[in-house]
């Protein structure tokens, strides 16, 4: 039986969440309820919305959740840039995380197109 757990895009999003949590552990303590929380929530929202949409009946509902996931991804990309600009994230770590988000972005865009065209 196929579930959302079988989706590579969900698996990669889950891996991203883990990496985001590890990276934000080094953020300043005063950012715990600020940027740290925002980044973590945006990252968690990506696989969560992929999973929730998968469980919906109907293509339009599924697409709505996939669009929320990609919006959260764009939010995360912006927040990572802010973290880098504030020197909370080292350049090399930023590049790795950002490229991971770009890969998920391409996969999500392709998946959304596939669902729309089906």
């Amino acid at each position: 039986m196929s579930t959302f757990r079988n989706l590579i895009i969900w698996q990669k999003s889950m891996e991203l969440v883990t990496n985001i949590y590890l990276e934000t552990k080094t953020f300043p303590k005063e950012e715990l309820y600020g940027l740290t929380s925002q980044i973590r929530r945006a990252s968690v929202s990506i696989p969560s919305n992929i999973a929730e949409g998968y469980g919906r009946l109907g293509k339009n509902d599924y697409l709505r959740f996939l669009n929320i996931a990609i919006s959260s991804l764009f939010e995360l990309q912006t927040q990572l840039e802010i973290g880098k600009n504030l020197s909370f994230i080292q350049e090399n770590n930023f590049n790795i995380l950002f490229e991971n988000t770009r890969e998920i972005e391409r996969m999500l865009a392709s998946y959304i197109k596939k669902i729309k065209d089906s």
Side-chain angles (χ1 to χ4, degrees), residues 59 62-63 111-118:
K59 183 164 86 169
Y62 194 16
L63 285 169
Y111 192 49
I112 288 168
K113 184 179 180 338
K114 179 183 171 186
I115 299 294
K116 279 183 181 176
D117 293 345
S118 67

Side-chain angles (χ1 to χ4, degrees), residues 84-95:
K84 180 185 68 122
N85 292 346
L86 294 171
S87 299
F88 298 163
I89 303 174
Q90 293 178 354
E91 185 81 28
N92 186 50
N93 292 353
F94 169 80
N95 290 338

Side-chain angles (χ1 to χ4, degrees), residues 7-23 43-44 46-47 50 76 96-97 99-101 103-104:
L7 296 171
I8 304 260
I9 195 166
W10 181 84
Q11 295 168 7
K12 288 190 176 283
S13 297
M14 289 293 288
E15 188 178 313
L16 177 64
V17 171
T18 302
N19 292 332
I20 289 294
Y21 267 75
L22 293 172
E23 183 64 32
S43 71
V44 166
I46 300 163
I50 292 168
L76 175 61
I96 292 167
L97 288 171
E99 185 47 45
N100 289 341
T101 68
E103 178 184 20
I104 293 168

Side-chain angles (χ1 to χ4, degrees), residues 2 15 28 79:
S2 182
E15 188 178 313
Q79 293 160 351

Side-chain angles (χ1 to χ4, degrees), residues 27-90:
F27 278 30
K29 294 296 176 217
E30 64 268 15
E31 285 300 324
L32 185 59
Y33 301 106
L35 190 57
T36 303
S37 178
Q38 287 285 108
I39 287 175
R40 288 176 173 183
R41 280 195 315 248
S43 71
V44 166
S45 177
I46 300 163
S48 298
N49 278 291
I50 292 168
E52 186 171 355
Y54 191 90
R56 295 294 172 139
L57 301 173
K59 183 164 86 169
N60 288 338
D61 242 6
Y62 194 16
L63 285 169
R64 185 168 62 84
F65 282 93
L66 292 175
N67 281 306
I68 292 169
I70 204 164
S71 296
S72 294
L73 182 67
F74 293 150
E75 181 181 356
L76 175 61
Q77 289 172 342
T78 300
Q79 293 160 351
L80 289 173
E81 290 267 357
I82 293 167
K84 180 185 68 122
N85 292 346
L86 294 171
S87 299
F88 298 163
I89 303 174
Q90 293 178 354

